[in-house]
Amino acid sequence: MHDGISVTCFLFALWCLLKGEKQRWYLLGFGLGMALLALSKGILVLLLGAIALIFLFLDQRWYVFKSFYFWLGIVLSLIPVTAWYAAQIQAYGQVFIQVNFLNQSFDRISQVVHSNTGPVWYYLLEIIKYSMPWLLFLPGGLYLAWQQRWRSWGCLVLVGFGGYLFPISVMGTKLPWYIIPIYPFVAWAVGAQLAELWDSQHWSSQRAKKWGRKFLMGVFGLLTLAGVAGLGYFLVVDRQLILILMAITVILTMGTVTAYLRLGDKNYLMCLASGMYLSLIMLMCSQSWLWELNEVFPVTAVAALVRTKTPPGAAVYTSFPYHRPSLSFYCDRQIQSKDINTLSQLWSDSQPYLLLDQPALEKIKEKLQLSNNQVLGTAEGFTLVGSRR
């Protein structure tokens, strides 16, 4: 997955657009950012590029379209992108067009791929689930952006938030990580609202009434209890020291924020920001930060089986219905997904290594009469089959 890279490239392109107001040569960077985005995430560049252009029109930044540097950056960016995709088409032909452009890109807009679907409000629920506690400040931030829509930051937040959320909400295929490019706009909206609260001269009276201090106290009190529950889970089930320390940090942060709110002290904002940042650092230092490794089945155990039982560069085929990049990465082998008939034919022809789930193993055993000597090992419901070489 290249979601972090794509967001970084898009932010770099936007930064260059804004810096180009005073120094025109920065506009060269917009083309560079878009080129890197196209090379990393394909057609996502069309949606994010459209958001950037709509922002330029609404914010009336006509100087961008009159700048030689802007157009030079666009032309130069087309060279590596065109060369890369032309090379891929030349090397793989129709297969690349079918898989990359159709199956993995445009088909996901209008169709449901691999049964990954959901209602129109699917991504709203994702934002609610993964934006706490900053979600509490998002409505106020969006309202503030609407009030200041004539300013560049307000225009960018509204165009980016709505212009990205609506298209992905009506897409046929829905996956949790498709929402990631919206978070910079969420962060800008929340940051503007936090700055408004921090600059307030009468937090203990006017702002407390407006934002419902008691409501915030209740929410952060519940988050403190949630932290206690999380600590109990890590002490009993997942005993990683770093996660235990993270849970303690969350408890202290939420509890201190609740106390500051009770006192009407706006320093709760600094406490919340620093505590959450420290907690995220701890999460990134743990072994549990990448949820994709445990999606459907835990990757690391299966990858260890393949890596230890097969030679480097071996051809490995699996009955799992779709490709999991993390599995190929951690076992340092290219794992290819095939249907049961193709796997049977491959085994009859050359006896490659097969990574089979239990139903597929039973079918192939019955059909091809595999011996126990050809079973190399089992992990997380998958069995590796091959000749002992």
Side-chain angles (χ1 to χ4, degrees):
M1 298 179 191
H2 306 128
D3 302 283
I5 296 175
S6 64
V7 171
T8 302
C9 294
F10 181 55
L11 290 178
F12 173 76
L14 289 179
W15 180 76
C16 289
L17 281 182
L18 298 175
K19 290 287 289 185
E21 183 175 4
K22 294 183 178 179
Q23 294 177 291
R24 295 291 191 266
W25 61 270
Y26 273 102
L27 296 176
L28 282 168
F30 177 76
L32 174 61
M34 289 293 104
L36 294 173
L37 182 57
L39 291 172
S40 60
K41 288 295 284 186
I43 66 167
L44 181 63
V45 69
L46 299 179
L47 177 55
L48 296 182
I51 289 173
L53 293 177
I54 292 172
F55 163 69
L56 291 176
F57 277 109
L58 294 179
D59 205 41
Q60 298 183 358
R61 293 177 176 263
W62 310 121
Y63 66 85
V64 173
F65 302 104
K66 298 177 182 178
S67 173
F68 166 77
Y69 292 106
F70 174 76
W71 295 109
L72 177 62
I74 295 295
V75 172
L76 292 177
S77 70
L78 290 174
I79 296 174
V81 174
T82 304
W84 168 257
Y85 283 105
Q88 297 301 306
I89 293 174
Q90 183 179 8
Y92 302 105
Q94 187 63 32
V95 174
F96 177 78
I97 297 175
Q98 182 68 33
V99 174
N100 188 279
F101 285 105
L102 299 180
N103 294 352
Q104 296 297 325
S105 298
F106 291 102
D107 281 356
R108 292 174 180 249
I109 298 175
S110 58
Q111 303 175 21
V112 177
V113 177
H114 300 317
S115 302
N116 294 309
T117 186
V120 175
W121 55 86
Y122 175 86
Y123 290 112
L124 284 175
L125 295 178
E126 291 296 303
I127 294 175
I128 293 172
K129 285 192 295 183
Y130 298 114
S131 297
M132 288 295 287
W134 307 114
L135 178 68
L136 298 170
F137 307 97
L138 179 58
L142 293 176
Y143 178 69
L144 185 62
W146 174 255
Q147 287 182 316
Q148 301 186 25
R149 58 189 179 277
W150 50 272
R151 299 182 62 183
S152 295
W153 81 267
C155 178
L156 181 57
V157 166
L158 294 175
V159 170
F161 187 86
Y164 188 80
L165 181 61
F166 177 75
I168 63 171
S169 295
V170 297
M171 281 178 55
T173 301
K174 291 182 172 62
L175 290 167
W177 52 86
Y178 285 2
I179 194 64
I180 290 177
I182 206 173
Y183 284 115
F185 304 109
V186 172
W188 288 328
V190 170
Q193 183 57 46
L194 294 180
E196 184 81 359
L197 287 173
W198 182 261
D199 292 337
S200 171
Q201 298 295 320
H202 305 289
W203 158 251
S204 60
S205 56
Q206 295 178 10
R207 286 296 178 180
K209 292 178 181 178
K210 183 175 180 179
W211 281 92
R213 188 176 61 180
K214 291 184 178 180
F215 171 74
L216 290 178
M217 286 173 57
V219 172
F220 284 107
L222 289 175
L223 291 176
T224 304
L225 295 178
V228 173
L231 176 61
Y233 175 83
F234 295 134
L235 288 172
V236 175
V237 180
D238 192 357
R239 297 180 180 178
Q240 294 185 51
L241 177 61
I242 193 68
L243 292 180
I244 294 173
L245 293 176
M246 182 191 73
I248 294 173
T249 303
V250 170
I251 294 170
L252 293 176
T253 299
M254 299 305 166
T256 305
V257 167
T258 304
Y260 273 134
L261 283 167
R262 183 178 179 83
L263 296 173
D265 190 337
K266 66 180 181 181
N267 281 306
Y268 85 97
L269 295 172
M270 294 296 294
C271 177
L272 181 61
S274 58
M276 289 301 298
Y277 191 76
L278 181 59
S279 300
L280 287 174
I281 290 177
M282 292 181 179
L283 176 62
M284 295 301 109
C285 293
S286 73
Q287 300 177 7
S288 305
W289 68 274
L290 185 55
W291 60 267
E292 197 274 339
L293 293 181
N294 296 313
E295 183 192 23
V296 185
F297 66 88
V299 160
T300 51
V302 180
L305 170 66
V306 176
R307 188 174 60 253
T308 55
K309 298 294 184 179
T310 64
V316 182
Y317 301 91
T318 181
S319 58
F320 192 69
Y322 58 87
H323 177 58
R324 289 198 67 181
S326 57
L327 178 60
S328 297
F329 175 81
Y330 280 97
C331 70
D332 197 23
R333 310 287 188 273
Q334 188 62 37
I335 310 295
Q336 303 180 47
S337 299
K338 302 292 182 181
D339 60 68
I340 190 68
N341 293 328
T342 303
L343 291 174
S344 301
Q345 186 62 44
L346 287 169
W347 180 262
S348 299
D349 293 342
S350 58
Q351 292 193 356
Y353 292 98
L354 304 182
L355 185 63
L356 307 172
D357 56 30
Q358 193 60 34
L361 177 63
E362 293 176 357
K363 290 180 181 179
I364 287 185
K365 261 191 172 182
E366 181 181 351
K367 186 175 183 180
L368 303 179
Q369 298 180 343
L370 297 178
S371 65
N372 291 331
N373 189 51
Q374 292 169 316
V375 176
L376 304 181
T378 301
E380 302 296 340
F382 284 86
T383 300
L384 182 65
V385 175
S387 300
R388 297 184 182 273
R389 303 165 189 173

